[in-house]
């Protein structure tokens, strides 16, 4: 063997350690998530502060809105702002677990804010419409350079949007924190509490949207059977379908599907100028007693099809010429029937 050959370095093959690689990936994701949480919290606190200072604080000082109206518009905004002010120094110091655990008792503020959200938007629109003084004040504040073109109505949903960000970021932070880390339990507990709050807030939002649908449908309908639609039911869908009678031509009818009933209505005559666009309720069909069959429309073509609905004392044959609409109705009706059987 030559001297040159003896002097060559022999490469050392280092075996990869899967555990170490996994830990490194966790640490990278944790660092990235922590950085995003910190940066977005700073921006969030800044925007909370703008509304607290230039709207809530000045409105209180000037008396432009009475206290009940001001509270209806902003809810617990200032308390939410204070909670962010408490949290941010912990995040800036890298004390993620301690800071988030201390933040969790303030989560009830977000539930209160969500419960007030519909009232807040209604109050804003009412005050903008009836108070010239308030309207001028809002335009003046929104024109400040600090707001960067954002309007008050854009900023009001901010806490609910931030709660969703909290859930995504804190859950990711907990999942990428080693079980041996001193703040693992704190982060895991905070992630669970924030997720539970986000679910409650989502349920509140869904109920508010459903109540809006029920009030809208109630305003469209007349007739004894249409009364009482605003309690204990969920709106699923509405649309035109053709009712196919045993004899004669199909008749177009507007159908409103709720979690427990299917409502059939016909449009008011065009002679009723003041009630144009409204409907007369003709029948209510209980979904708990419904059996559903799709007669045609299985092939997935574009020609629509028929739905056969059987009730104890009546049968309905409904037709749609739109395949996509037919599939949607079949899915919604199936959902309503199954919800009544569970």
């Amino acid at each position: 063997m030559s001297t040159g050959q003896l002097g060559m370095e022999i490469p050392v093959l280092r075996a990869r350690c899967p555990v170490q690689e996994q830990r490194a990936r966790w640490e990278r994701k944790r660092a990235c998530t922590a950085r995003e949480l910190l940066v977005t919290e700073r921006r969030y606190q800044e925007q909370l502060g703008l509304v607290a200072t230039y709207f809530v604080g000045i409105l209180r000082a000037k008396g432009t809105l009475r206290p009940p109206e001001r509270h209806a518009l902003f809810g617990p905004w200032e308390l939410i702002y204070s909670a962010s002010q408490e949290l941010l120094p912990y995040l800036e110091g890298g004390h993620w677990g301690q800071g988030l655990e201390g933040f969790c008792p303030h989560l009830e503020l977000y539930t209160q804010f969500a419960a007030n959200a519909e009232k807040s938007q209604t109050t804003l629109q009412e005050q903008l419409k009836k108070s010239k003084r308030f309207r001028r004040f809002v335009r003046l504040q929104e024109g400040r350079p600090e707001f960067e073109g954002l309007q008050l109505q854009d900023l009001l949903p901010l806490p609910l949007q931030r709660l969703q960000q909290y859930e995504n970021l804190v859950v990711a932070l907990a999942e990428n924190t080693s079980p041996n880390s001193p703040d693992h339990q704190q982060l895991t507990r905070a992630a669970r509490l924030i997720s539970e709050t986000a679910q409650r807030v989502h349920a509140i939002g869904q109920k508010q949207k459903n109540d809006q649908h029920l009030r809208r449908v109630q305003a469209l309908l007349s007739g004894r059977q249409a009364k009482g639609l605003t309690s204990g039911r969920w709106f699923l869908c509405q649309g035109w379908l053709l009712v196919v009678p045993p004899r004669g031509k199909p008749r177009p009818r507007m159908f409103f599907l709720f979690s427990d009933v299917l409502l059939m209505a016909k449009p008011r005559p065009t002679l009723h100028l003041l009630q144009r666009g409204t409907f007369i309720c003709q029948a209510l069909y209980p979904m708990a007693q419904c059996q559903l069959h799709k007669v045609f429309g299985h092939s997935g073509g574009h020609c629509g099809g028929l739905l056969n609905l059987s009730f104890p004392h009546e049968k309905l044959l409904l037709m749609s010429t739109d395949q996509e609409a037919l599939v949607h109705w079949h899915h919604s009706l199936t959902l309503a029937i199954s919800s009544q059987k569970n």
Side-chain angles (χ1 to χ4, degrees):
M1 184 177 295
S2 67
T3 306
Q5 287 175 317
L6 287 171
M8 290 178 61
E9 293 186 3
I10 301 175
V12 178
L13 299 176
R14 295 181 180 177
R16 293 182 177 179
C17 178
V19 175
Q20 290 179 343
E21 287 186 349
Q22 180 61 56
R23 285 175 180 168
R25 282 195 294 271
W26 279 345
E27 193 54 43
R28 285 194 299 271
K29 289 181 180 178
R30 173 186 162 92
C32 182
T33 303
R35 185 167 56 251
E36 184 178 354
L37 179 59
L38 174 58
V39 170
T40 53
E41 187 66 20
R42 284 172 176 158
R43 176 60 175 162
Y44 174 53
Q45 187 182 121
E46 177 187 337
Q47 293 180 317
L48 287 175
L50 288 174
V51 175
T53 302
Y54 294 111
F55 281 99
V56 187
I58 297 179
L59 283 170
R60 183 189 296 112
K62 295 180 68 172
T64 308
L65 287 181
R66 294 180 303 129
E69 294 161 345
R70 192 176 65 247
H71 182 72
L73 180 55
F74 297 103
W77 189 281
E78 290 177 302
L79 295 175
I80 289 173
Y81 178 37
S82 296
S84 177
Q85 288 179 308
E86 289 180 22
L87 173 62
L88 187 57
Y90 286 98
L91 302 186
E92 291 177 329
H95 306 298
W96 311 100
Q98 186 181 356
L100 289 165
E101 187 176 50
F103 173 74
C104 285
H106 300 295
L107 288 171
E108 179 58 28
L109 296 171
Y110 285 82
T111 306
Q112 295 172 15
F113 191 86
N116 186 65
E118 188 177 11
K119 189 176 182 181
S120 172
Q121 289 292 337
T122 302
T123 302
L124 176 61
Q125 298 308 318
E126 287 177 350
Q127 293 303 315
L128 287 172
K129 185 177 181 180
K130 76 178 187 180
S131 173
K132 185 177 179 180
R133 184 184 176 195
F134 178 72
R135 197 161 58 243
R136 187 167 53 242
F137 170 80
V138 170
R139 281 202 302 266
L140 178 66
Q141 302 306 84
E142 290 174 345
R144 290 177 177 271
E146 295 91 339
F147 284 87
E148 300 176 349
L150 289 172
Q151 296 182 336
L152 179 57
Q153 64 180 3
D154 301 324
L155 292 166
L156 283 178
L158 190 63
L160 301 183
Q161 296 166 0
R162 183 57 177 166
L163 180 63
Q164 186 60 60
Q165 291 178 331
Y166 278 144
E167 182 181 23
N168 296 336
L169 293 170
V170 177
V171 167
L173 193 63
E175 289 177 344
N176 292 291
T177 297
S178 169
N180 299 324
S181 175
D183 61 352
H184 179 263
Q185 287 189 351
Q186 292 173 316
L187 289 172
T188 301
R189 192 158 45 243
R192 176 177 57 80
L193 291 172
I194 290 172
S195 293
E196 289 173 356
T197 303
Q199 289 172 13
R200 285 196 294 273
V201 165
H202 177 72
I204 290 170
Q206 292 296 101
K207 186 179 184 306
Q208 289 175 347
K209 289 180 182 177
N210 183 64
D211 290 344
Q212 290 172 3
H213 277 303
L214 292 178
R215 289 194 295 270
R216 176 184 60 79
V217 173
Q218 184 75 71
L220 288 174
L221 294 169
S222 63
R224 284 186 307 166
Q225 291 177 304
K227 304 304 178 186
L229 286 178
T230 54
S231 61
R233 48 174 49 100
W234 287 84
F235 173 81
L236 297 180
C237 66
Q238 72 180 68
W240 291 96
L241 289 169
L242 293 169
V243 179
V244 182
R247 298 181 186 84
K249 294 182 179 180
R251 302 184 305 270
R253 291 291 182 264
M254 175 62 78
F255 284 87
F256 300 89
L257 177 62
F258 304 91
S259 53
D260 59 334
V261 293
L262 176 66
L263 186 151
M264 181 173 70
K266 67 177 181 179
R268 279 189 171 277
T270 54
L271 294 176
H272 289 264
L273 297 178
L274 296 178
Q275 295 179 312
R276 182 176 294 174
T278 61
F279 299 86
I280 302 170
C281 178
Q282 289 188 294
L284 280 176
Y285 300 98
M287 300 313 296
Q289 301 175 4
C290 178
Q291 292 185 348
L292 172 67
H293 302 284
K294 195 191 296 187
V295 182
F296 297 111
H298 291 282
S299 62
H302 301 287
C303 57
L306 294 167
L307 296 171
N308 185 2
L309 284 70
S310 297
F311 300 93
H313 304 294
E314 190 173 352
K315 289 188 177 182
L316 274 180
L317 193 59
L318 305 178
M319 183 170 70
S320 173
T321 56
D322 184 296
Q323 178 68 21
E324 187 176 341
L326 184 81
V327 171
H328 178 68
W329 272 105
H330 185 267
H331 172 77
S332 299
L333 287 163
T334 302
L335 181 66
I337 293 169
S338 62
S339 72
Q340 293 303 300
K341 293 180 179 179
N342 293 335

